[in-house]
Amino acid sequence: MKVDGGQPPMGTASTPSVRALRVSGAWEIRPPVFTDDRGLVAVPFRRDHLAALGVPPLDVAQTVHSRSRRGTVRGVHYTRGPSGGAKYVHCAHGSALDIVVDLRTGSPTFGLWDTVSLDPSLNRSVYVPAGVGHAFVALEPDTVLTYLLSTPYASETEGAVDARDPRLGLPLDRGDTRLMSARDRRAPTLDEAVRRGLLTVYEP
């Protein structure tokens, strides 16, 4: 494997690994990291590594990054319908508590959630399948998250569920919900989203 201008990295290298999250089809990825006396080189995304570890393929159609103030909550966002896509999330600066929530009706893990701590020292990433909700809490100033999307962002296919919904019971302190968008504050609860037919149907 070659990085850094085509030269193989020197020093020690970690082995890539994954952890299946409580939400069916969602993964925590620990990519290879190469360290030496200069610092480190991380490889947050490499398709063949993920395939070898059993993570579904992700054909990247768009990349996005967000920068957030400490205490910001974004989500719970999800894509719906046949044109909805998966996402791959990595923290390039700061730190975040990343949260995935199963919002797919009929899923064996519907309503369950799991968390992953993201920051550049850990170099972890999260794979979020289509229909699964994603949220995060920024734990430091200027927290930057980078998203790799399998389909271009389209407002008509994106939905949201209220991160403060008591039924979900997400690990948010009261102070964590002060910095939210108006849209996220107006988002329906999980029960409301089910009743209105807003969620994606699970496809094994």
Side-chain angles (χ1 to χ4, degrees):
M1 178 179 182
K2 293 186 177 182
V3 294
D4 192 12
Q7 297 299 315
M10 306 299 291
T12 60
S14 64
T15 302
S17 63
V18 297
R19 176 175 69 92
L21 300 180
R22 292 179 69 206
V23 173
S24 177
W27 296 86
E28 173 193 311
I29 295 94
R30 300 186 182 196
V33 179
F34 303 88
T35 58
D36 62 18
D37 56 2
R38 299 170 298 170
L40 64 82
V41 174
V43 185
F45 177 82
R46 181 165 160 170
R47 185 179 290 109
D48 58 341
H49 285 172
L50 298 181
L53 293 167
V55 179
L58 182 73
D59 293 324
V60 179
Q62 180 179 347
T63 60
V64 177
H65 82 264
S66 64
R67 184 169 66 183
S68 303
R69 295 170 56 189
R70 180 178 180 178
T72 293
V73 176
R74 297 184 189 266
V76 179
H77 302 151
Y78 65 96
T79 56
R80 56 176 178 261
S83 59
K87 64 180 66 172
Y88 190 92
V89 185
H90 178 75
C91 182
H93 185 268
S95 64
L97 180 67
D98 202 77
I99 308 169
V100 293
V101 186
D102 198 341
L103 302 178
R104 302 164 297 181
T105 58
S107 168
T109 56
F110 179 74
L112 295 183
W113 53 267
D114 206 343
T115 63
V116 178
S117 296
L118 299 181
D119 69 47
S121 66
L122 297 170
N123 283 298
R124 296 171 182 163
S125 299
V126 178
Y127 175 87
V128 184
V132 167
H134 176 257
F136 73 87
V137 184
L139 303 179
E140 296 182 31
D142 294 325
T143 290
V144 176
L145 261 61
T146 298
Y147 310 79
L148 281 62
L149 308 178
S150 65
T151 57
Y153 172 80
S155 59
E156 62 270 19
T157 64
E158 182 169 281
V161 166
D162 192 346
R164 303 164 298 177
D165 183 357
R167 177 178 172 183
L168 292 177
L170 300 185
L172 303 176
D173 295 330
R174 179 175 297 179
D176 288 337
T177 60
R178 290 177 297 178
L179 293 174
M180 297 177 67
S181 70
R183 188 194 74 161
D184 287 348
R185 289 183 179 278
R186 294 192 302 266
T189 64
L190 181 61
D191 288 342
E192 291 170 336
V194 170
R195 187 167 57 250
R196 293 163 56 185
L198 300 177
L199 303 178
T200 296
V201 176
Y202 175 71
E203 296 182 4

